[in-house]
Amino acid sequence: MQHIRNFCIIAHIDHGKSTLADRLLEKTRTIEITAGQMLDDMDLERERGITIKSHAIQMLYDKDGEAYVLNLIDTPGHVDFSYEVSRSIAACEGALLVVDATQGVQAQTISNLYMALEHDLEIIPVINKIDVPTAMPDKVEDEIVELLGCKREEILRASGKTGEGVDTVLDAIVSRIPCPKGDKDAPLEALIFDSVFNSFRGIIAYFKIENGTIRKGDRVKFANTDMEYDAVEVGVLKMKLVPKDELRAGEVGYLITGIKNATEVKVGDTITHVSRPCTTAIAGFQEVKPMVFAGVYPIDPTDYENLRSSLEKLRLNDASLTFQPESSVALGFGFRCGFLGLLHMEIVQERLDREFDMDVITTVPNVSYLVYDKRGEATEMHNPSGMPDPTMIDHIEEPYIRASIITTSTFIGPIMKLCLDKRGELIKQEFIAGNRVELHFFLPLGEIVIDFYDRLKSLSKGYASFDYHIDGFRPSRLAKLDILLNGEPVDALSTLTHTDNAVALGRRMCEKLKELIPRQQFDIAIQAAIGAKIIARETIKCVRKDVTAKCYGGDVTRKRKLLEKQKRGKKRMKRIGTVEVPQKAFLAVLKLD
């Protein structure tokens, strides 16, 4: 155990974690680097240049004639995937805090750092991208010293691209990160920090052993579910799975037991022996709290069961996804899914399409609200269509977040205006170093789930970084906005909105739907309503055939008779005709500007 080091790499998005990980793998001769970001093995990760999933890999490193085993976990940087980071941190004793030499400390750097400090991890600060002409290592060093309170000589400088300084990073990992503590002879306690689904071998659980030893063929059980299995194969994680006969305390590895049912493996569970179980399970990570809810429905209703199994398999790979069945008048049977943010929602949709070949419709995203009735009882609402009658409601509370935005002083004005337009409340602003400012706001979560992040990035030309934490619920004047097509409500387009914004939002939604819904043989009335009150209306005119073309003279009553006949036909058609809302319309409502 003296020769094992478990560490993760944490940083803000785009600060070069995966590139630095490539150089560490190259220096330790773990793999031949054939392409950039070797640990990002999903097509989506390669295309977008972001890490979506944390990846574990084992490296061997010789220092002063002694061989060390380094278990590295590369983590995502985007705020939507912070749950992946929290799980990786739980399996480590140390962390490399990577800061971009051109960007400096950003919001997610601070957020991930606090998460690591809560778990008492040893932090090694690394300034990356020092080879870039616009790098400001001295200035960034000042920011890190201010943030961590460390000595200047403890900060390492490296370049993930050229490999400069990577040797000193490896030496620091060995000398500064403590070895894992545990007893190899104690009862087995292993924490599951991740799992993946393999269609041939079932579910593969990744774990870190806190105490004890696990051998191939052992009879093991999972503490939370109390299910028993045979350890068919155990081993360590390299670029491929490498089987071993046994793994001891402090080591990170994988377990294959041939489990086929996705619900039996829970991330955060404890693996122990059946014959000699541990007395208490390891405290797992905090329960994931979804921020954004949306309905996911199969385009073909017969695919409902396929969608269920696809979501279960996806949840193995992404523990922050939650879902429960629901039905909609307009869309049939589907699932109410909880996501950590809009990027997370987009990635899940894309993965359902690519990995499971599922065509789905996603409804307008919203957040959860607390609805208090006249008796003072509270119910949690995820779906506006399930709102009780307005006469029964005493008041509604919506979730608020405490947001931290780091930017340069040039963009303070536009960013403040954006936050105040979103019903934000400025708590404080403080200068970090040079002309960089940190703004703290209270903001309603419902206002930021749709386009806040995109607008923040465009206003600040990409320089603002954003991070947030839930800060409880507050009473608010909210109204349910319904969209009616020919008097029929489309429940998938219902939203809860603040009463001050309702009229403007209703009008914009009606205008957008008028552009997107194709013309029919009859007039379509698009209306936005709050309760029984119509607040906006647009009409899509019908496609008309010129029935009077064959009249080339004679009395005007001949034309009138044909027009009346046409009018009666249109009326009957409107009564029995239905309006199809295209998928584009649901997506366009998300991007209302």
Side-chain angles (χ1 to χ4, degrees):
M1 277 176 66
Q2 300 300 319
H3 292 85
I4 297 175
R5 300 289 182 271
N6 299 322
F7 70 100
C8 58
I9 304 183
I10 54 176
H12 188 81
I13 191 167
D14 274 346
H15 279 206
K17 297 173 295 302
S18 300
T19 313
L20 185 63
D22 278 357
R23 296 291 81 73
L24 294 173
L25 296 174
E26 207 170 47
K27 288 280 182 194
T28 55
R29 298 191 181 86
T30 307
I31 50 168
E32 287 291 321
I33 303 290
T34 51
Q37 280 85 28
M38 290 298 285
L39 292 180
D40 292 349
D41 51 10
M42 242 186 273
D43 292 343
L44 260 178
E45 293 180 313
R46 293 271 170 89
E47 281 168 28
R48 290 171 178 249
I50 57 174
T51 304
I52 293 168
K53 185 105 189 69
S54 55
H55 299 269
I57 190 164
Q58 189 182 87
M59 304 181 285
L60 300 174
Y61 179 61
D62 287 331
K63 187 186 179 213
D64 304 332
E66 293 196 39
Y68 289 89
V69 173
L70 312 181
N71 290 311
L72 152 71
I73 303 178
D74 179 27
T75 63
H78 196 282
V79 64
D80 278 13
F81 304 111
S82 55
Y83 187 63
E84 290 280 334
V85 183
S86 77
R87 289 160 38 199
S88 309
I89 284 172
C92 295
E93 281 81 36
L96 295 183
L97 180 74
V98 177
V99 183
D100 187 331
T102 61
Q103 303 269 347
V105 170
Q106 290 191 281
Q108 206 52 30
T109 317
I110 298 172
S111 171
N112 288 342
L113 169 69
Y114 287 154
M115 217 187 288
L117 291 174
E118 274 171 32
H119 284 76
D120 293 331
L121 263 60
E122 177 65 37
I123 306 292
I124 301 177
V126 179
I127 298 177
N128 193 22
K129 304 191 187 179
I130 55 167
D131 59 309
V132 179
T134 54
M136 318 166 284
D138 296 333
K139 194 174 165 192
V140 175
E141 217 167 69
D142 294 339
E143 290 179 18
I144 294 174
V145 168
E146 203 170 316
L147 180 67
L148 276 174
C150 61
K151 298 189 179 78
R152 279 183 179 279
E153 53 272 20
E154 289 176 12
I155 301 170
L156 309 178
R157 295 186 181 189
S159 163
K161 193 173 179 184
T162 62
E164 185 186 338
V166 173
D167 289 325
T168 54
V169 173
L170 283 164
D171 287 344
I173 290 165
V174 171
S175 55
R176 283 158 63 174
I177 292 176
C179 62
K181 296 173 179 61
D183 179 1
K184 68 177 191 305
D185 301 319
L188 175 67
E189 279 178 57
L191 175 74
I192 300 177
F193 66 87
D194 206 353
S195 57
V196 293
F197 181 78
N198 182 309
S199 47
F200 301 106
R201 314 205 61 185
I203 291 152
I204 303 172
Y206 295 169
F207 60 83
K208 182 205 174 187
I209 305 178
E210 300 288 342
N211 287 306
T213 304
I214 186 169
R215 294 177 182 83
K216 184 179 175 179
D218 281 356
R219 187 82 178 150
V220 295
K221 75 168 182 179
F222 291 178
N224 273 357
T225 55
D226 228 21
M227 306 282 271
E228 297 183 8
Y229 309 98
D230 287 317
V232 178
E233 183 177 306
V234 294
V236 295
L237 301 154
K238 298 217 171 173
M239 246 358 228
K240 293 188 176 70
L241 305 177
V242 181
K244 297 268 178 167
D245 290 331
E246 68 169 32
L247 291 175
R248 298 179 173 194
E251 292 194 87
V252 172
Y254 70 89
L255 167 71
I256 298 176
T257 54
I259 304 170
K260 288 285 188 279
N261 187 350
T263 53
E264 290 176 29
V265 179
K266 288 190 168 54
V267 167
D269 203 347
T270 305
I271 305 172
T272 188
H273 281 132
V274 173
S275 56
R276 192 176 161 221
C278 57
T279 47
T280 53
I282 304 165
F285 342 98
Q286 74 271 29
E287 270 298 300
V288 59
K289 291 190 191 75
M291 302 291 172
V292 177
F293 294 88
V296 173
Y297 295 86
I299 286 177
D300 180 354
T302 56
D303 280 341
Y304 176 73
E305 280 305 320
N306 293 349
L307 179 59
R308 181 198 292 277
S309 66
S310 302
L311 284 168
E312 281 177 356
K313 286 171 188 169
L314 192 56
R315 186 163 61 184
L316 277 178
N317 213 293
D318 180 356
S320 51
L321 172 68
T322 61
F323 63 90
Q324 60 196 61
E326 74 160 5
S327 62
S328 147
V329 182
L331 300 167
F333 290 101
F335 294 91
R336 192 92 197 142
C337 297
F339 307 98
L340 294 185
L342 275 191
L343 176 68
H344 186 212
M345 177 175 137
E346 206 179 305
I347 295 292
V348 167
Q349 237 179 307
E350 190 85 11
R351 287 183 70 182
L352 280 172
D353 181 29
R354 289 186 185 202
E355 294 172 29
F356 303 101
D357 208 18
M358 292 298 312
D359 280 338
V360 294
I361 290 177
T362 311
T363 63
V364 181
N366 53 29
V367 298
S368 55
Y369 296 91
L370 287 179
V371 180
Y372 286 84
D373 59 20
K374 293 284 186 346
R375 293 193 298 260
E377 290 175 9
T379 41
E380 196 171 312
M381 278 289 149
H382 299 317
N383 190 348
S385 58
M387 283 278 288
D389 190 89
T391 53
M392 306 293 292
I393 298 172
D394 181 54
H395 68 279
I396 303 174
E397 291 189 355
E398 65 176 330
Y400 265 71
I401 58 165
R402 187 187 174 110
S404 142
I405 299 168
I406 297 179
T407 181
T408 52
S409 50
T410 328
F411 305 112
I412 292 181
I415 288 172
M416 276 197 173
K417 183 179 182 306
L418 171 68
C419 293
L420 295 172
D421 287 350
K422 297 279 187 187
R423 299 189 283 127
E425 198 182 299
L426 180 65
I427 309 165
K428 62 175 181 183
Q429 68 178 67
E430 49 194 16
F431 283 83
I432 305 172
N435 68 341
R436 288 158 66 77
V437 187
E438 185 171 11
L439 302 169
H440 293 269
F441 276 92
F442 281 133
L443 283 160
L445 181 62
E447 292 281 351
I448 70 150
V449 293
I450 297 204
D451 60 349
F452 180 82
Y453 194 67
D454 296 345
R455 287 181 61 190
L456 178 72
K457 281 292 182 195
S458 52
L459 280 176
S460 64
K461 299 184 178 154
Y463 280 112
S465 58
F466 172 66
D467 183 43
Y468 61 85
H469 299 282
I470 286 291
D471 195 72
F473 285 76
R474 297 186 187 186
S476 199
R477 291 186 302 120
L478 296 165
K480 181 188 169 197
L481 180 70
D482 284 316
I483 298 293
L484 313 174
L485 291 181
N486 282 345
E488 289 292 317
V490 182
D491 56 352
L493 290 174
S494 300
T495 52
L496 266 179
T497 180
H498 197 265
T499 44
D500 296 351
N501 306 340
V503 176
L505 178 66
R507 194 170 292 139
R508 292 209 315 269
M509 283 172 86
C510 288
E511 285 166 4
K512 197 76 182 173
L513 289 169
K514 184 181 178 181
E515 288 171 27
L516 293 163
I517 293 175
R519 289 171 72 186
Q520 308 283 337
Q521 297 280 337
F522 50 90
D523 283 0
I524 303 171
I526 305 170
Q527 295 166 308
I530 293 177
K533 183 184 175 190
I534 304 293
I535 56 170
R537 172 182 171 129
E538 292 286 338
T539 307
I540 301 175
K541 285 292 178 194
C542 60
V543 181
R544 290 194 57 168
K545 179 182 173 188
D546 188 359
V547 289
T548 59
K550 61 186 177 210
C551 297
Y552 47 86
D555 193 43
V556 72
T557 52
R558 289 180 63 194
K559 285 188 177 179
R560 200 166 292 149
K561 183 180 164 190
L562 288 168
L563 289 169
E564 283 301 321
K565 188 179 173 187
Q566 185 186 36
K567 198 187 281 182
R568 284 198 305 277
K570 296 270 181 214
K571 209 171 196 175
R572 192 174 70 250
M573 212 182 280
K574 184 171 184 172
R575 204 168 55 240
I576 60 167
T578 55
V579 184
E580 287 289 318
V581 182
Q583 164 75 348
K584 274 191 307 193
F586 291 113
L587 298 176
V589 173
L590 310 187
K591 297 185 170 67
L592 281 178
D593 209 348

